[in-house]
Amino acid sequence: DFTNTYNLKVEGPAANLITLSETRVTITKGETKRIFAFASNTCDSLGNQDFTITATPELGTSIQSSSARLIVDSCYDFELKTEKDLFNLCEGEQDKIPVTINNKGTSQNTFNLNINGPAWVSLEKNRLDIAAKSSANTNIIIAPPLETAGDFDIPLQVTAEKGDQIAATTFKASVRKCLGVFVDIEKNQDKI
């Protein structure tokens, strides 16, 4: 029945992330006023956090409150997946290492792949454009030439164009000498 002024306050785990459009409002009889709660500085606060807005009147004792949940998803999060990280093959053979990048963010992003290994290791695609909440695949192609043998490290680095995240892994390729000729003479002389 009366005009009253209310002091608004934010409480709860997400209180430091919420800024109200007004912290003090005056409302006349029968009037409704809309107040906005803005979320800011959420970069380091991923996940779900609750907050409560409390309205305390200057006249009277009827304190009212309303609770809400702030859900902060990462805009540019991603995950690098590989089926295996150790490969055994013979010289002169070719093998492919499947690589999957899962864009877990809420925005489309471009991912640059860089491999640093022997000259006979290459990427099928070195750039992937992936929609939000989607994934894309490419292959690392391993083709050691003849006369190649040994254990080799193949480091892969994936960098997102948006955001500052980098994912890296190292594959190991064990190349065996499977082709060749062995000659053994049983006797170095004989009687005929």
Side-chain angles (χ1 to χ4, degrees), residues 28-192:
T28 60
K29 177 183 177 183
E31 182 184 12
T32 300
K33 197 155 201 181
R34 186 179 295 251
I35 305 299
F36 293 95
F38 297 102
S40 59
N41 299 323
T42 58
C43 291
D44 297 324
S45 304
L46 299 178
N48 301 339
Q49 297 184 54
D50 296 327
F51 65 94
T52 301
I53 299 174
T54 304
T56 305
E58 289 184 355
L59 300 174
T61 59
S62 178
I63 298 173
Q64 298 292 318
S65 64
S66 181
S67 295
R69 174 165 287 165
L70 176 66
I71 301 171
V72 181
D73 292 330
S74 175
C75 294
Y76 307 116
D77 191 20
F78 74 96
E79 177 181 40
L80 171 64
K81 289 184 179 179
T82 58
E83 291 180 14
K84 56 183 180 176
D85 58 2
L86 176 62
F87 291 84
N88 292 305
L89 65 159
C90 292
E91 59 176 331
E93 287 184 343
Q94 180 176 317
D95 202 354
K96 291 183 179 181
I97 303 172
V99 175
T100 302
I101 298 175
N102 183 11
N103 183 359
K104 297 167 67 175
T106 58
S107 298
Q108 183 275 340
N109 208 342
T110 299
F111 300 91
N112 296 307
L113 291 83
N114 183 28
I115 197 148
N116 189 9
W120 39 266
V121 177
S122 63
L123 282 163
E124 195 173 74
K125 295 178 191 173
N126 59 5
R127 181 181 171 100
L128 296 172
D129 292 316
I130 306 174
K133 305 290 184 187
S134 299
S135 62
N137 302 312
T138 189
N139 290 305
I140 297 172
I141 301 167
I142 302 175
L146 294 174
E147 304 298 322
T148 303
D151 294 326
F152 301 90
D153 288 339
I154 305 168
L156 171 67
Q157 181 174 310
V158 180
T159 307
E161 285 189 1
K162 295 178 188 172
D164 57 355
Q165 292 188 326
I166 295 174
T169 189
T170 300
F171 300 96
K172 298 210 179 281
S174 180
V175 182
R176 298 180 314 276
K177 191 165 181 65
C178 301
L179 305 173
V181 177
F182 177 73
V183 177
D184 185 23
I185 300 175
E186 291 180 18
K187 301 178 188 176
N188 58 3
Q189 65 178 345
D190 204 351
K191 288 185 182 182
I192 325 177

